[in-house]
Amino acid sequence: MGKHNFVTIADLSREKILYLIKSAQEFEAHPNREILKGKVVATLFFEPSTRTRLSFETAANRLGARVIGFTDAKVTSATKGETLKDTILMVSNYADVIVMRHYIEGAAQYASEVAPVPIINAGDGAHQHPSQCMLDLYSIYKTQGTLSNLNICLVGDLKYGRTVHSLIMAMRHFNPTFHFIAPKELAMPDEYKLYCRDNGIKYIEHTEFTEETINQADILYMTRVQKERFSDLMEYEKVKNVYILKNDMLTNARDNMRILHPLPRVNEIEYDVDENPHAYYIQQAQNGLYAREAIICDVLGITYDEIVKDKTI
Ligand code: CP
């Protein structure tokens, strides 16, 4: 497959997901290569980020590419009224691939329709975060040895959390059972529950975060309540500390159970959980580097054989 976009996880087949995991494994074994020597990767971040931007930029650097971009749209001509279309067309003049995070749902899809170079969606509003999803899948595969037939608890802000929306869609190929654990104000939106029903994905909804549910989990996927998506901060104050994971809740967890979190965390995992053998969120973020090396190569049409053949530096 030649150059293409990476905008929504819904586009990815089972085979493509497994292929990207295989590529990520190869990059984890040998992260430093020159396969993108002479290429330029643009990172356009209209919303704040630590992990996504820095891991994409590290991935580009480790692959031999150079990086341009911005971390704050206020320093760009968007403040003078330049449209997203014109911004994308301009950056396409300079870069071979564009990684973009935007606060508007659908912005990445729109950019992909106007750009002559591949677009990678680094998060669009509360909609999708497909590269995070690939690193989540890689982390699940690494810790469980499979993606199939797993019990996955999604906890916290299931309304605005774009990572959980992407994960549901990706897991449709692998017969999961989901537990959606959220207060009613932050419940999984109907469109994703409908998606589960249409795709034969089993799910159970909970408003209580109990040890009984944790004890059934292979993956406990914690999320932050997304303050920036609330129009009424009083509503945020009501739910911001609704679920807090503590060490003593993990006593009877399955041995294989791993705690994931896309990060940043605010208050939903106590710091002493970090030392618990079930905690995996720091390694999960590291896996983002390898998954993103795989994604950048894939959108540029670089094959696995070319990756393997490339001289490791
Ligand atoms: N997980 C994630 O998207 O983190 P950042 O917002 O720091 O990129």
Side-chain angles (χ1 to χ4, degrees):
M1 197 173 178
K3 290 185 184 187
H4 56 277
N5 302 296
F6 191 82
V7 167
T8 167
I9 207 77
D11 290 343
L12 266 58
S13 65
R14 177 188 168 92
E15 291 67 34
K16 174 61 86 168
I17 288 170
L18 294 174
Y19 167 78
L20 288 171
I21 287 175
K22 187 170 80 160
S23 279
Q25 284 175 316
E26 179 62 26
F27 284 119
E28 182 162 0
H30 302 290
N32 298 325
R33 294 160 192 263
E34 293 190 321
I35 201 160
L36 296 190
K37 197 158 186 236
K39 303 267 188 221
V40 174
V41 175
T43 56
L44 313 187
F45 277 68
F46 293 84
E47 272 197 332
S49 166
T50 297
R51 277 146 294 274
T52 309
R53 184 178 65 81
L54 291 177
S55 61
F56 265 119
E57 294 188 358
T58 306
N61 280 304
R62 288 191 182 276
L63 293 168
R66 278 168 288 184
V67 177
I68 61 169
F70 54 81
T71 59
D72 183 350
K74 287 197 202 79
V75 300
T76 74
S77 288
T79 57
K80 302 173 201 161
E82 186 157 65
T83 61
L84 180 60
K85 178 179 179 183
D86 285 356
T87 302
I88 292 296
L89 288 175
M90 288 310 105
V91 178
S92 299
N93 285 333
Y94 314 136
D96 300 283
V97 55
I98 296 174
V99 179
M100 185 179 83
R101 170 171 289 185
H102 204 284
Y103 48 87
I104 296 177
E105 296 187 18
Q109 177 62 37
Y110 175 74
S112 74
E113 287 164 15
V114 299
V117 300
I119 296 287
I120 297 175
N121 181 5
D124 60 328
H127 183 223
Q128 287 253 332
H129 195 348
S131 69
Q132 175 72 43
C133 188
M134 269 319 304
L135 78 90
D136 293 344
L137 294 169
Y138 184 45
S139 300
I140 294 170
Y141 186 84
K142 271 179 71 176
T143 60
Q144 307 299 314
T146 180
L147 292 177
S148 297
N149 306 318
L150 297 172
N151 270 317
I152 302 177
C153 292
L154 305 178
V155 185
D157 186 349
L158 307 187
K159 180 177 180 184
Y160 297 118
R162 56 195 172 196
T163 67
V164 293
H165 301 159
S166 292
L167 189 60
I168 288 171
M169 293 180 139
M171 289 303 292
R172 74 191 184 281
H173 302 296
F174 302 102
N175 191 36
T177 300
F178 280 110
H179 293 263
F180 297 155
I181 305 169
K184 62 179 179 358
E185 295 89 340
L186 299 175
M188 185 61 73
D190 286 344
E191 68 178 285
Y192 293 102
K193 290 191 276 186
L194 183 62
Y195 184 89
C196 287
R197 292 198 286 274
D198 286 349
N199 287 278
I201 299 171
K202 299 180 281 300
Y203 70 87
I204 302 155
E205 290 190 279
H206 310 256
T207 51
E208 300 294 320
F209 182 34
T210 65
E211 279 182 61
E212 192 186 352
T213 314
I214 292 172
N215 295 346
Q216 299 172 46
D218 300 304
I219 295 292
L220 181 59
Y221 194 105
M222 301 295 297
T223 65
R224 169 180 70 93
V225 178
Q226 309 248 315
K227 183 179 183 183
E228 65 275 27
R229 313 268 177 233
F230 282 75
S231 48
D232 179 352
L233 282 184
M234 293 293 283
E235 292 301 311
Y236 169 73
E237 290 296 325
K238 274 193 237 163
V239 291
K240 68 177 185 186
N241 289 326
V242 65
Y243 305 133
I244 298 176
L245 182 64
K246 303 176 195 309
N247 243 334
D248 63 9
M249 298 165 75
L250 299 167
T251 310
N252 296 313
R254 292 179 176 176
D255 288 346
N256 64 302
M257 191 277 271
R258 290 294 175 274
I259 304 160
L260 302 187
H261 190 311
L263 304 178
R265 102 178 104 178
V266 180
N267 201 24
E268 56 281 351
I269 302 178
E270 290 198 339
Y271 274 88
D272 59 358
V273 176
D274 295 1
E275 312 310 321
N276 192 298
H278 295 290
Y280 193 74
Y281 30 91
I282 304 299
Q283 298 96 315
Q284 177 189 1
Q286 183 182 25
N287 292 335
L289 169 61
Y290 316 124
R292 289 176 171 127
E293 287 189 271
I295 291 166
I296 294 172
C297 286
D298 191 58
V299 298
L300 287 169
I302 296 168
T303 65
Y304 183 77
D305 285 348
E306 289 170 307
I307 292 167
V308 173
K309 216 166 48 191
D310 184 72
K311 187 172 168 295
T312 302
I313 55 173

